[in-house]
């Protein structure tokens, strides 16, 4: 009798234990993190869906991709459609849906979507600067440029960008000297690459070059991640800006523009990258050389000594690189002259 009681008593315990194990498994299953789309994916997917209502066609692979923002950045078919719309005679107005899409996409604060917008900056800046003197409404382009400018202003915390230039008056750490060490904190030879940024809510003619120049500085900061096709478009507009050449379907884009140093400086940095950073891409290399040559001729025409020095230096680098390639250091020359 006692054995039965014991058995009966232990049975509920076993059942309770088993039930407890099931509850534990159930709670463990419920507490497991479910696979869900991240905010980045959602924002990129929403951007593609919005873009599909603007472009004639959007490849289905963009929406189905696990990395939609990266696919959108690299998709040449979609990029060609966007570039074509941005070059239209009526593009850039305040009611331009594509400009509104670019603005909203950049305001999403997603780094990958920032790259998507920056990928089209050469066309935006190129068409905008070519049209600005035609007195056409370009509020759409200006909204995108101001968004880029405001982002860079916030990132820099309104500080200027400077570099410390070596000064021969300071003693080298590798040599002994009897001179007293100078206070490097107060005697640094600083050069300002980009002055302090001021917030702007509108694009005024006197500040236009600065706003576009800062947007190009942001483009340059991200240039290793920008597709080559975007850089080729940049080189194309550099030739247009400097000489008004290069065939275009839209005559409004065949216009030389004013090139202040605040605009020319980031242009030359970008071209320097195209020249020396992508030597394997022969098409980009040759396009960069052509753009620099046009800018050099423009500097000669304008008697702009600072631009002449900068563009001439880049052309000299091209010449030196070409000469180094032509030298065969394994070749033994026959001569009776001994060079010491």
């Amino acid at each position: 009798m006692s054995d039965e009681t014991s058995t009966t008593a232990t049975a509920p315990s076993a059942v309770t234990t088993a039930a407890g194990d099931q509850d534990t498994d159930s709670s463990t299953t419920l507490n497991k993190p479910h696979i869900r789309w991240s905010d980045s994916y959602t924002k990129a997917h929403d951007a593609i869906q919005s873009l599909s209502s603007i472009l004639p066609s959007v490849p289905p692979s963009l929406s189905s991709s696990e990395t939609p923002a990266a696919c959108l950045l690299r998709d040449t078919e979609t990029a060609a459609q966007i570039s074509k719309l941005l070059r239209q005679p009526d593009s850039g107005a305040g009611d331009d849906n594509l400009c509104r899409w670019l603005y909203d996409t950049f305001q999403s604060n997603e780094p990958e979507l920032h790259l998507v917008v920056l990928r089209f900056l050469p066309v935006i800046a190129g068409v905008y600067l070519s049209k600005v003197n035609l007195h056409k409404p370009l509020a759409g382009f200006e909204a995108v440029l101001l968004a880029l400018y405001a982002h860079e202003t916030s990132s820099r915390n309104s500080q200027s960008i400077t570099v410390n230039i070596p000064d021969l008056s300071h003693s080298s750490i590798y040599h002994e000297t009897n001179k007293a060490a100078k206070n490097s904190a107060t005697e640094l030879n600083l050069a300002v690459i980009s002055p302090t940024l001021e917030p702007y809510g509108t694009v005024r003619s006197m500040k236009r070059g600065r706003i576009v120049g800062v947007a190009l500085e942001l483009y340059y900061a991200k240039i290793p991640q920008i597709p080559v096709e975007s850089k080729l478009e940049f080189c194309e507009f550099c030739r247009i800006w400097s000489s008004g050449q290069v065939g275009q379907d839209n005559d409004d884009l065949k216009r030389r523009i004013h090139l202040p140093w605040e605009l020319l400086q980031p242009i030359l940095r970008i071209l320097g990258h195209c020249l020396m950073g992508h030597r394997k891409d022969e098409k980009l290399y040759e396009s960069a050389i052509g753009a620099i040559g046009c800018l050099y001729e423009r500097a000669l025409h304008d008697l702009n000594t600072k631009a002449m020095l900068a563009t001439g230096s880049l052309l000299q680098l091209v010449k030196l690189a070409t000469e180094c390639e032509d030298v065969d250091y394994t070749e033994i020359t026959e001569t009776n002259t001994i060079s010491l």
Side-chain angles (χ1 to χ4, degrees):
M1 188 70 179
S2 61
D3 293 338
E4 294 177 359
T5 304
S6 175
T7 303
T8 305
T10 56
S13 176
V15 173
T16 304
T17 303
D21 292 341
Q22 292 178 357
D23 293 341
T24 303
D25 293 341
S26 177
S27 62
T28 303
T29 303
L30 292 174
N31 292 332
K32 285 182 179 179
H34 294 282
I35 299 176
R36 61 183 181 84
W37 302 122
S38 64
D39 292 340
S40 298
Y41 178 91
T42 302
K43 291 180 179 180
H45 189 269
D46 291 343
I48 292 173
Q49 293 299 318
S50 299
L51 185 62
S52 62
S53 64
I54 301 173
L55 300 182
S57 63
V58 173
S61 58
L62 294 182
S63 299
S64 60
S65 173
E66 295 182 357
T67 55
C71 289
L72 181 58
L73 176 66
R74 302 291 174 183
D75 189 78
T76 55
E77 179 184 346
T78 304
Q81 293 184 61
I82 294 176
S83 179
K84 183 178 180 180
L85 287 179
L86 291 173
R87 294 169 184 257
Q88 294 300 312
D90 58 345
S91 64
D95 58 350
D96 190 323
N97 291 328
L98 183 55
C99 288
R100 186 176 304 169
W101 179 85
L102 290 167
Y103 177 86
D104 292 338
T105 301
F106 191 83
Q107 295 291 11
S108 66
N109 293 326
E110 286 296 328
E112 290 183 338
L113 292 179
H114 282 180
L115 291 175
V116 172
V117 178
L118 287 173
R119 183 254 178 269
F120 299 103
L121 180 60
V123 181
I124 295 172
V127 176
Y128 172 71
L129 292 175
S130 300
K131 286 184 174 183
V132 73
N133 292 326
L134 300 178
H135 305 291
K136 292 185 176 181
L138 300 172
F141 284 148
E142 292 178 347
V144 178
L145 292 170
L146 285 171
L148 300 178
Y149 179 86
H151 173 80
E152 191 68 359
T153 303
S154 177
S155 300
R156 297 186 192 178
N157 195 21
S158 300
Q159 299 296 318
S160 60
I161 299 179
T162 60
V163 293
N164 183 18
I165 300 177
D167 189 350
L168 295 179
S169 64
H170 289 72
S171 301
S172 169
I173 60 175
Y174 302 104
H175 298 83
E176 296 181 357
T177 179
N178 295 327
K179 297 182 179 180
K182 296 184 179 181
N183 186 356
S184 58
T186 59
E187 298 187 12
L188 291 177
N189 190 14
L190 296 178
V192 178
I193 296 179
S194 182
T196 303
L197 301 180
E198 301 177 1
Y200 297 123
T202 58
V203 180
R204 298 182 179 180
S205 59
M206 297 298 295
K207 301 297 181 182
R208 182 177 293 117
R210 179 61 174 152
I211 292 173
V212 178
V214 170
L216 291 176
E217 289 176 4
L218 179 59
Y219 180 89
Y220 175 74
K222 305 294 183 181
I223 199 169
Q225 306 171 63
I226 301 295
V228 173
E229 292 79 8
S230 175
K231 301 167 190 177
L232 288 170
E233 290 177 326
F234 181 81
C235 294
E236 172 195 352
F237 276 104
C238 285
R239 295 194 295 273
I240 295 173
W241 292 339
S242 59
S243 59
Q245 298 175 0
V246 182
Q248 290 283 342
D249 295 334
N250 185 359
D251 290 337
D252 291 346
L253 303 184
K254 299 179 182 179
R255 296 180 179 275
R256 293 174 55 179
I257 66 170
H258 178 54
L259 292 173
W261 182 246
E262 56 194 1
L263 180 60
L264 185 60
Q265 188 179 30
I267 287 176
L268 294 178
R269 288 186 206 158
I270 296 171
L271 289 176
H273 169 87
C274 297
L275 194 64
M276 296 177 285
H278 279 78
R279 192 63 191 276
K280 294 181 180 179
D281 194 306
E282 191 65 26
K283 186 176 181 180
L284 178 60
Y285 181 75
E286 295 297 332
S287 184
I289 293 176
I292 296 170
C294 289
L295 289 171
Y296 179 69
E297 293 177 1
R298 171 68 181 273
L300 292 176
H301 178 272
D302 296 345
L303 298 179
N304 187 337
T305 55
K306 186 183 292 187
M308 288 165 56
L309 178 61
T311 53
S313 298
L314 288 176
L315 291 176
Q316 188 66 21
L317 287 176
V318 175
K319 181 180 178 181
L320 291 175
T322 304
E323 291 176 352
C324 291
E325 289 180 352
D326 294 339
V327 175
D328 185 0
Y329 294 98
T330 63
E331 181 181 357
I332 300 176
T333 57
E334 296 181 2
T335 178
N336 294 328
T337 305
I338 300 177
S339 301
L340 299 178

